[in-house]
Amino acid sequence: MLIRVAVITPEDFAPRITAHAEHFNDIKFTTYIYRNPMECETLVQQIQDCDVLLFAGPLPYYYGTRRSTRKQQLPSVYIPSDEYTLTLNLGHILLNREEGLRFLSVDTPKQRYLEQAVAEWQLDSSGWHVKDYSQIVDGEGTPFDPEDMIRFHRENFECGRSNLILTSVDYVYERLRLLDIPCINMIVPEKSIRETVARAAHFGQLMISENAQIAVGLAAINQLEEGGGTQPNAGIMLQQMLLDLGKETDASIQQLGLDQFIIYGTRGSIEQMTRNFTQMPAMGNMEDLFGVSISMGFGFGMTAKEAEAHARIGLFHARKQERNSSAFLVTHEKEVIGPLSANSKTFHLKSENRDLLHVAEQTGMSVATISKLSAFIKLRRENSFTATDLAEYLQLSRRSAERVLKKMVNHQFIVPVGEEQPYRQGRPRAVYRINF
C-alpha cells in the first residue's frame, strides 16, 4: 500500500529528500515549500491526503506542529541538526575554508550539540561566538528569532569578532549572503536524510497497518426520564444518522433492536468518524427532540469477536455518564479513551507487571502513565532526566509533567539527584532518577 509523505522543506533542499523515493517501492512524496520556517504553522494546515509529515529540520517541525492538531493526527519526523551534523560541518570548514575555525560565529538548536562536536575534534573554541535557540527542543531557554539571529551574526562579522558564519537556518543564510558576509549553510549529512526517510516509511507502514484493524461500534439509546418507553422516532433518527456516517466512512450499520445498533468497519473508519478520537460522532439534538441520550462504545481488535468485546466495554463506560450522550473507545491493547472529546482521558484496563501495578496503586496514577515512565527510562542511556525531558516524551505541558513528578517524588518512586543549569538564561532545572 502506498505511503504518502508530505515533505515540508526549503525549495533547494527538496530534491535531496525526494531522491530517496527510489529506495522505497511504496512511498510517494509531495513537497510543501517554505522560505522562512515560521511559515510552517500555516503551511501544515494546507496538507491533505497524507500519512506522515517529514520536516527538513527541527525548526520547521517546531513551527509546523506546536499549535496544529496535525501533531496528534499524523506521525511527524524531522531531519536532525545534531552533534553528528556539526562534527561534519566543522571538518568541512577545517579542510576547505581558508578562514579556518579560529573566529567562528555559529547558531545551533542546542549549545550541547556544539560542545560535543568540539570535543570530538579537540578544538579550541574560545574565539567562537555561539547563539542557540534551545526553546524549540527544550521548551524553555532561548527563543528563535530569525532577525535577532541575523543581527547577531552581522555584528560579530562587522566588529571583527568573527570571519565566518556557520548557520543552521536557510533563511538566515540567504539574508547574510545578500549582505556579502562569508557564510556557510550547514551541510546536512546524507545519512541523516536517509534515516529520517526510513523512519517516515516505518511510521507510515505502522499507521496503515493499525488503520486496517477490525473495528466495531455499539450505539444505544437511553431514556432521560424514568418510566418512559423507547420512542420509535428516536430509533429511526439514530439509524439514519448512523447510516449517513457509514456512507462517509465506509462502515456497515446493522440494527440489533429498537434501541441499539452495531457498526462494523476498520480502525481508519472509526478514526475518521470520531475525528481522530477527539469527538463523539454528531448525534443531533436527540435530548431535546426525544428526551433521550446516546451512548456509544467503539472497540478495536485482531478479530471481530475481540473488537466487539472491546466495544461493549466502551459502551459500559459511556452509559456511566448519566444523562449525557457520550462515547468511549477501547483499543486492541485494552487502552480506554474517553469520553471522546478534545480533552479525552486515557487509561489501561490491565497490566501484568506487578511492580507497575504497585506504583500505580500507591500514587493513584494510571497504569498507562506508569508504563510510559518505565518505557521512558528504557529508551535513555542513563536514568536521569528533567521535567522538560519528561514533558517532551509524554507530550504534556511542563506544568503537567511537574505534577506527575511531584506525585512520584512524594512516594519516593522518583528522587531528585541534582540540578542542571540551562545555557545562558533561566533558573537551574532539577534532575531526577526513577527509583522503581
PDB file of all heavy atoms in Angstrom, residues 133-149:
ATOM      1  N   TYR A 133      19.031  28.272  19.986  1.00  0.00           N
ATOM      2  CA  TYR A 133      17.599  28.559  20.097  1.00  0.00           C
ATOM      3  C   TYR A 133      16.951  27.338  20.749  1.00  0.00           C
ATOM      4  O   TYR A 133      16.118  26.643  20.188  1.00  0.00           O
ATOM      5  CB  TYR A 133      16.972  28.900  18.738  1.00  0.00           C
ATOM      6  CG  TYR A 133      17.436  28.075  17.553  1.00  0.00           C
ATOM      7  CD1 TYR A 133      16.682  26.999  17.076  1.00  0.00           C
ATOM      8  CD2 TYR A 133      18.616  28.386  16.882  1.00  0.00           C
ATOM      9  CE1 TYR A 133      17.094  26.261  15.986  1.00  0.00           C
ATOM     10  CE2 TYR A 133      19.032  27.649  15.784  1.00  0.00           C
ATOM     11  CZ  TYR A 133      18.264  26.587  15.336  1.00  0.00           C
ATOM     12  OH  TYR A 133      18.683  25.851  14.245  1.00  0.00           O
ATOM     13  N   SER A 134      17.388  27.127  22.004  1.00  0.00           N
ATOM     14  CA  SER A 134      17.077  25.895  22.721  1.00  0.00           C
ATOM     15  C   SER A 134      15.603  25.729  23.051  1.00  0.00           C
ATOM     16  O   SER A 134      15.161  24.629  23.394  1.00  0.00           O
ATOM     17  CB  SER A 134      17.902  25.825  24.004  1.00  0.00           C
ATOM     18  OG  SER A 134      17.703  27.002  24.783  1.00  0.00           O
ATOM     19  N   GLN A 135      14.833  26.807  22.963  1.00  0.00           N
ATOM     20  CA  GLN A 135      13.413  26.698  23.307  1.00  0.00           C
ATOM     21  C   GLN A 135      12.677  25.683  22.427  1.00  0.00           C
ATOM     22  O   GLN A 135      11.746  25.029  22.882  1.00  0.00           O
ATOM     23  CB  GLN A 135      12.748  28.066  23.187  1.00  0.00           C
ATOM     24  CG  GLN A 135      11.335  28.115  23.751  1.00  0.00           C
ATOM     25  CD  GLN A 135      10.716  29.492  23.596  1.00  0.00           C
ATOM     26  OE1 GLN A 135      10.359  29.904  22.505  1.00  0.00           O
ATOM     27  NE2 GLN A 135      10.602  30.206  24.693  1.00  0.00           N
ATOM     28  N   ILE A 136      13.113  25.543  21.180  1.00  0.00           N
ATOM     29  CA  ILE A 136      12.379  24.649  20.278  1.00  0.00           C
ATOM     30  C   ILE A 136      12.584  23.175  20.609  1.00  0.00           C
ATOM     31  O   ILE A 136      11.786  22.328  20.202  1.00  0.00           O
ATOM     32  CB  ILE A 136      12.743  24.895  18.793  1.00  0.00           C
ATOM     33  CG1 ILE A 136      14.155  24.388  18.495  1.00  0.00           C
ATOM     34  CG2 ILE A 136      12.595  26.342  18.409  1.00  0.00           C
ATOM     35  CD1 ILE A 136      14.428  24.173  17.049  1.00  0.00           C
ATOM     36  N   VAL A 137      13.674  22.848  21.338  1.00  0.00           N
ATOM     37  CA  VAL A 137      13.904  21.451  21.696  1.00  0.00           C
ATOM     38  C   VAL A 137      13.716  21.193  23.187  1.00  0.00           C
ATOM     39  O   VAL A 137      13.403  20.073  23.582  1.00  0.00           O
ATOM     40  CB  VAL A 137      15.312  20.977  21.254  1.00  0.00           C
ATOM     41  CG1 VAL A 137      15.362  20.764  19.764  1.00  0.00           C
ATOM     42  CG2 VAL A 137      16.392  21.961  21.684  1.00  0.00           C
ATOM     43  N   ASP A 138      13.904  22.230  24.020  1.00  0.00           N
ATOM     44  CA  ASP A 138      13.777  22.057  25.467  1.00  0.00           C
ATOM     45  C   ASP A 138      12.470  22.601  26.022  1.00  0.00           C
ATOM     46  O   ASP A 138      12.144  22.342  27.179  1.00  0.00           O
ATOM     47  CB  ASP A 138      14.934  22.759  26.186  1.00  0.00           C
ATOM     48  CG  ASP A 138      16.248  22.014  26.005  1.00  0.00           C
ATOM     49  OD1 ASP A 138      16.202  20.817  25.677  1.00  0.00           O
ATOM     50  OD2 ASP A 138      17.318  22.630  26.176  1.00  0.00           O
ATOM     51  N   GLY A 139      11.757  23.403  25.222  1.00  0.00           N
ATOM     52  CA  GLY A 139      10.538  24.025  25.720  1.00  0.00           C
ATOM     53  C   GLY A 139      10.793  25.248  26.570  1.00  0.00           C
ATOM     54  O   GLY A 139       9.864  25.874  27.079  1.00  0.00           O
ATOM     55  N   GLU A 140      12.052  25.588  26.772  1.00  0.00           N
ATOM     56  CA  GLU A 140      12.430  26.780  27.521  1.00  0.00           C
ATOM     57  C   GLU A 140      13.822  27.195  27.060  1.00  0.00           C
ATOM     58  O   GLU A 140      14.461  26.509  26.273  1.00  0.00           O
ATOM     59  CB  GLU A 140      12.425  26.511  29.021  1.00  0.00           C
ATOM     60  CG  GLU A 140      13.391  25.401  29.439  1.00  0.00           C
ATOM     61  CD  GLU A 140      13.314  25.078  30.914  1.00  0.00           C
ATOM     62  OE1 GLU A 140      12.377  25.572  31.580  1.00  0.00           O
ATOM     63  OE2 GLU A 140      14.177  24.351  31.398  1.00  0.00           O
ATOM     64  N   GLY A 141      14.309  28.334  27.568  1.00  0.00           N
ATOM     65  CA  GLY A 141      15.607  28.808  27.122  1.00  0.00           C
ATOM     66  C   GLY A 141      15.453  29.854  26.038  1.00  0.00           C
ATOM     67  O   GLY A 141      14.462  30.572  25.972  1.00  0.00           O
ATOM     68  N   THR A 142      16.424  29.928  25.137  1.00  0.00           N
ATOM     69  CA  THR A 142      16.460  30.975  24.125  1.00  0.00           C
ATOM     70  C   THR A 142      15.435  30.730  23.025  1.00  0.00           C
ATOM     71  O   THR A 142      15.467  29.684  22.382  1.00  0.00           O
ATOM     72  CB  THR A 142      17.864  31.062  23.491  1.00  0.00           C
ATOM     73  OG1 THR A 142      18.842  31.087  24.526  1.00  0.00           O
ATOM     74  CG2 THR A 142      17.999  32.307  22.633  1.00  0.00           C
ATOM     75  N   PRO A 143      14.533  31.684  22.775  1.00  0.00           N
ATOM     76  CA  PRO A 143      13.561  31.508  21.679  1.00  0.00           C
ATOM     77  C   PRO A 143      14.219  31.742  20.328  1.00  0.00           C
ATOM     78  O   PRO A 143      15.296  32.340  20.242  1.00  0.00           O
ATOM     79  CB  PRO A 143      12.507  32.574  21.978  1.00  0.00           C
ATOM     80  CG  PRO A 143      13.261  33.645  22.708  1.00  0.00           C
ATOM     81  CD  PRO A 143      14.306  32.943  23.514  1.00  0.00           C
ATOM     82  N   PHE A 144      13.556  31.295  19.280  1.00  0.00           N
ATOM     83  CA  PHE A 144      14.064  31.509  17.927  1.00  0.00           C
ATOM     84  C   PHE A 144      13.526  32.819  17.387  1.00  0.00           C
ATOM     85  O   PHE A 144      12.324  33.036  17.331  1.00  0.00           O
ATOM     86  CB  PHE A 144      13.645  30.357  17.012  1.00  0.00           C
ATOM     87  CG  PHE A 144      14.022  30.576  15.575  1.00  0.00           C
ATOM     88  CD1 PHE A 144      15.345  30.512  15.172  1.00  0.00           C
ATOM     89  CD2 PHE A 144      13.053  30.868  14.623  1.00  0.00           C
ATOM     90  CE1 PHE A 144      15.698  30.717  13.846  1.00  0.00           C
ATOM     91  CE2 PHE A 144      13.397  31.077  13.296  1.00  0.00           C
ATOM     92  CZ  PHE A 144      14.722  31.003  12.908  1.00  0.00           C
ATOM     93  N   ASP A 145      14.450  33.691  16.979  1.00  0.00           N
ATOM     94  CA  ASP A 145      14.098  34.964  16.364  1.00  0.00           C
ATOM     95  C   ASP A 145      15.040  35.161  15.188  1.00  0.00           C
ATOM     96  O   ASP A 145      16.216  35.485  15.380  1.00  0.00           O
ATOM     97  CB  ASP A 145      14.246  36.104  17.373  1.00  0.00           C
ATOM     98  CG  ASP A 145      13.842  37.464  16.792  1.00  0.00           C
ATOM     99  OD1 ASP A 145      13.826  37.604  15.556  1.00  0.00           O
ATOM    100  OD2 ASP A 145      13.561  38.381  17.583  1.00  0.00           O
ATOM    101  N   PRO A 146      14.587  34.941  13.953  1.00  0.00           N
ATOM    102  CA  PRO A 146      15.496  34.991  12.804  1.00  0.00           C
ATOM    103  C   PRO A 146      16.161  36.352  12.621  1.00  0.00           C
ATOM    104  O   PRO A 146      17.341  36.431  12.271  1.00  0.00           O
ATOM    105  CB  PRO A 146      14.591  34.635  11.623  1.00  0.00           C
ATOM    106  CG  PRO A 146      13.200  34.885  12.089  1.00  0.00           C
ATOM    107  CD  PRO A 146      13.207  34.621  13.548  1.00  0.00           C
ATOM    108  N   GLU A 147      15.425  37.432  12.888  1.00  0.00           N
ATOM    109  CA  GLU A 147      16.020  38.763  12.718  1.00  0.00           C
ATOM    110  C   GLU A 147      17.102  39.018  13.762  1.00  0.00           C
ATOM    111  O   GLU A 147      18.150  39.610  13.461  1.00  0.00           O
ATOM    112  CB  GLU A 147      14.931  39.837  12.795  1.00  0.00           C
ATOM    113  CG  GLU A 147      13.842  39.707  11.741  1.00  0.00           C
ATOM    114  CD  GLU A 147      14.400  39.674  10.316  1.00  0.00           C
ATOM    115  OE1 GLU A 147      15.385  40.399  10.042  1.00  0.00           O
ATOM    116  OE2 GLU A 147      13.850  38.921   9.492  1.00  0.00           O
ATOM    117  N   ASP A 148      16.855  38.575  14.963  1.00  0.00           N
ATOM    118  CA  ASP A 148      17.861  38.714  16.013  1.00  0.00           C
ATOM    119  C   ASP A 148      19.096  37.880  15.686  1.00  0.00           C
ATOM    120  O   ASP A 148      20.230  38.298  15.952  1.00  0.00           O
ATOM    121  CB  ASP A 148      17.269  38.289  17.352  1.00  0.00           C
ATOM    122  CG  ASP A 148      18.263  38.448  18.491  1.00  0.00           C
ATOM    123  OD1 ASP A 148      18.758  39.575  18.690  1.00  0.00           O
ATOM    124  OD2 ASP A 148      18.562  37.451  19.165  1.00  0.00           O
ATOM    125  N   MET A 149      18.877  36.702  15.099  1.00  0.00           N
ATOM    126  CA  MET A 149      19.997  35.848  14.735  1.00  0.00           C
ATOM    127  C   MET A 149      20.838  36.476  13.625  1.00  0.00           C
ATOM    128  O   MET A 149      22.080  36.430  13.654  1.00  0.00           O
ATOM    129  CB  MET A 149      19.465  34.479  14.291  1.00  0.00           C
ATOM    130  CG  MET A 149      20.523  33.414  14.110  1.00  0.00           C
ATOM    131  SD  MET A 149      19.773  31.820  13.779  1.00  0.00           S
ATOM    132  CE  MET A 149      19.057  31.442  15.376  1.00  0.00           C
TER     133      MET A 149
END
